[in-house]
Each structure stands twice: as structure tokens, then as C-alpha cells.
Amino acid sequence: MMGKIGPIGRKGAVCDCGKYRKVVGQLDINVARLKSSISFVKNVLAGIRETEEKYYYIVQEEKSYKEALTHCRIRDGILAMPKDEAANTVISDYISQSGLFRVFIGVNDMEKEGQFMYADRTPLQSYSNWKEGEPQDLSGQEDCVEMLSTGKWNDTECHLTMYFVCEFPKRRE
């Protein structure tokens, strides 16, 4: 048995669905970013190297030098900067053990030809590990640096795409 029918309610508002579409669109973007970050974390857990001060991770996605810089930075890192022989050895062993031949590192002379700087904008100081005859920049386009599996450095063109090594500081609590 049904009860009495109640009074007629107020007329409803017209849906302003545009703002909801925008919110849903932003959520889709955030989900895609999270998926990318989760993939990155999974890969990191699969293989990472470390020193007392830093973690190193080879990103096995081919990117140009500038794309590699951005990739590391949005993850709170920077392209690897081997500032001493110990760091250079850790990175080169990592490259070799990964079966790779070369990767971008955080060294370039994009601002001033012949004046190589680290990705953190500090100049090369007492350490470098150039391959014999390098840097040579015969084409005038070799402003970025790759590390070979031997640990030697070679200047190369920045637009080329290759794997790269990100460096992350260890957090001190």
C-alpha cells in the first residue's frame, strides 16, 4: 500500500556540466602523471646504484639532452654529474653492467663554446675524463656530453636521443 503523495518540490537548476568536464579532464591528466611516476618508481626499484651521497638511475628511454634534463628535474633529480673518479666509476660500471654503450650525463658547453659546465651550472673543476682527442666539436654542434661504457666522456650533439643517467641526492634526516 502506498502512502500519500507529497507536495511538488522546487524546480531543479540547469546542470553546469562544463566545470565538471574540466575537473574530470584534470583528474585524467593527474592519473596519467601518476601512472608515469609509478612506472618510473618500478624501474628505479629494478636497478639503482648509489654512493655515500647520491643515487644514480639509468633511464632507458631515448630522449634528447634537454628532454633528459627535464625528465630528471621533474623527479627532483638532475642529469648525473660525475665530479670525481669514484662517481665516474660507479656510473660507468652501471652503464657497462646494463649492457649499454653510451648515455647522456649532466655536462655541456651550451652557454659558451669550450667552457663545459655541469647541469647544476657549476664549471668543471679538477675532474674530467675525456676520451683521447676529446672534446673536439668538429661540426660546431657537439655541445652535450655522453659517457661511454668505458667511463670516458665524449662531446656529442644535443638533439640526438639516447638513454641517460639521473642523479638524486640522498636525503639526510
Side-chain angles (χ1 to χ4, degrees), residues 37-49 56-58 94:
S37 293
I38 288 169
S39 173
F40 179 76
V41 169
K42 280 183 181 176
N43 289 332
V44 167
L45 294 175
I48 196 168
R49 299 296 184 274
Y56 297 98
Y57 175 64
I58 293 178
Y94 189 14

Side-chain angles (χ1 to χ4, degrees), residues 21-35:
R21 283 189 191 106
K22 185 177 179 181
V23 169
V24 169
Q26 189 59 49
L27 286 172
D28 286 341
I29 291 168
N30 290 345
V31 167
R33 286 183 181 151
L34 283 170
K35 284 182 178 177

Side-chain angles (χ1 to χ4, degrees), residues 49-54 56 81-94 127-129 147 151 153 167:
R49 299 296 184 274
E50 63 183 291
T51 63
E52 192 139 334
E53 302 284 323
K54 297 177 170 64
Y56 297 98
M81 301 175 293
K83 294 185 176 183
D84 57 42
E85 188 174 348
N88 202 81
T89 300
V90 167
I91 297 166
S92 66
D93 287 350
Y94 189 14
Y127 183 77
S128 66
N129 198 28
M147 182 188 287
W153 302 359
E167 169 183 306

Side-chain angles (χ1 to χ4, degrees), residues 1-128:
M1 183 161 141
M2 287 184 33
K4 278 175 134 181
I5 294 178
I8 295 177
R10 288 183 287 170
K11 190 170 182 159
V14 176
C15 177
D16 182 16
C17 297
K19 68 180 180 183
Y20 297 115
R21 283 189 191 106
K22 185 177 179 181
V23 169
V24 169
Q26 189 59 49
L27 286 172
D28 286 341
I29 291 168
N30 290 345
V31 167
R33 286 183 181 151
L34 283 170
K35 284 182 178 177
S36 173
S37 293
I38 288 169
S39 173
F40 179 76
V41 169
K42 280 183 181 176
N43 289 332
V44 167
L45 294 175
I48 196 168
R49 299 296 184 274
E50 63 183 291
T51 63
E52 192 139 334
E53 302 284 323
K54 297 177 170 64
Y55 295 105
Y56 297 98
Y57 175 64
I58 293 178
V59 179
Q60 295 192 21
E61 296 175 34
E62 291 192 357
K63 297 197 181 290
S64 70
Y65 187 86
K66 287 185 179 180
E67 291 169 333
L69 275 173
T70 300
H71 187 96
C72 294
R73 283 194 178 129
I74 63 174
R75 288 162 177 80
D76 294 326
I78 194 163
L79 270 176
M81 301 175 293
K83 294 185 176 183
D84 57 42
E85 188 174 348
N88 202 81
T89 300
V90 167
I91 297 166
S92 66
D93 287 350
Y94 189 14
I95 295 166
S96 181
Q97 290 164 7
S98 297
L100 302 174
F101 177 67
R102 65 184 191 163
V103 297
F104 276 130
I105 57 172
V107 179
N108 69 74
D109 71 342
M110 292 187 287
E111 286 187 25
K112 185 175 180 192
E113 185 60 38
Q115 187 175 344
F116 285 89
M117 307 283 281
Y118 287 108
D120 65 2
R121 298 186 178 265
T122 58
L124 259 65
Q125 293 181 359
S126 59
Y127 183 77
S128 66

